[in-house]
Amino acid sequence: MGIREDMPVLARHEGVWDGTYTYYNAAGVKIDEHASRLFCRFLDDNAETPYHQTNHYTWPDGRTEIRDFPAAYHDKRVWWDNDLIIGSAWEVGEDEHHRAVMLYWQRTGDPSLYLYEMIQIADHGNSRCRTWHWIRNGELETRTAIQETLVSRDWRALEAEMEAAAG
């Protein structure tokens, strides 16, 4: 079986998502907020990286950043190992509603910092929320709250539009 069959909850996330990332320090004070557009792609099961996510971030001051996350798939998990993160994602087997995906990752080169992420997709599939808990040396350092809305399931068409607009 392939990634879509083994991870049907994650497969519901395929597409383009617009959202807002809000960061809070351990005391609950907001320390950052920016807009996002994420491309969640499911490619050929035989590809070296059958899952590929690209995150486009935009801050109110005009700064932008693009982060690319190709991922391998095996053992019913998506696996990242790149210049930014090392970790994996899996579905929550005991979730009788089939809404939850969990991730664990750490920053490459910084073993003192690790993160757990929980993703909840709405039953209708058009919105999702995510929370990150950043832990450094066993202590909470940061929380990230992310709210997203599905823009399109057709990531290929939106990606082509973006490439055409870029010239």
Side-chain angles (χ1 to χ4, degrees):
M1 292 184 42
I3 188 173
R4 289 175 188 275
E5 295 80 19
D6 285 345
M7 298 185 77
V9 176
L10 184 63
R12 293 178 57 213
H13 295 257
E14 183 171 25
V16 181
W17 297 84
D18 280 355
T20 303
Y21 282 55
T22 307
Y23 292 78
Y24 301 91
N25 67 17
V29 176
K30 183 165 66 168
I31 56 173
D32 187 29
E33 186 168 83
H34 60 272
S36 63
R37 173 162 278 189
L38 276 58
F39 287 76
C40 300
R41 306 174 195 85
F42 286 77
L43 307 173
D44 185 325
D45 279 337
N46 296 321
E48 184 177 336
T49 56
Y51 180 80
H52 191 143
Q53 182 171 313
T54 303
N55 300 1
H56 298 257
Y57 303 123
T58 305
W59 281 263
D61 65 6
R63 285 180 298 137
T64 62
E65 186 174 341
I66 298 173
R67 291 187 176 171
D68 206 34
F69 299 100
Y73 173 74
H74 56 85
D75 302 324
K76 297 188 178 186
R77 286 189 181 211
V78 172
W79 297 87
W80 291 273
D81 187 352
N82 58 51
D83 292 341
L84 187 63
I85 64 170
I86 299 168
S88 67
W90 64 95
E91 293 189 358
V92 178
E94 299 301 317
D95 176 16
E96 66 187 62
H97 302 288
H98 310 288
R99 298 176 185 131
V101 175
M102 292 291 297
L103 288 80
Y104 168 84
W105 47 272
Q106 66 184 54
R107 292 285 191 191
T108 303
D110 188 356
S112 69
L113 178 67
Y114 61 90
L115 182 148
Y116 280 93
E117 176 179 354
M118 181 179 65
I119 307 171
Q120 300 285 182
I121 191 164
D123 292 337
H124 52 66
N126 295 322
S127 63
R128 66 184 188 177
C129 59
R130 303 188 289 141
T131 55
W132 299 357
H133 285 89
W134 301 74
I135 311 295
R136 183 177 301 279
N137 298 320
E139 301 295 327
L140 177 68
E141 182 174 277
T142 308
R143 288 185 184 97
T144 305
I146 307 160
Q147 294 181 203
E148 296 167 309
T149 302
L150 182 68
V151 174
S152 175
R153 295 266 175 225
D154 190 357
W155 57 265
R156 287 177 178 88
L158 283 179
E159 197 168 60
E161 286 176 25
M162 286 180 65
E163 289 172 4

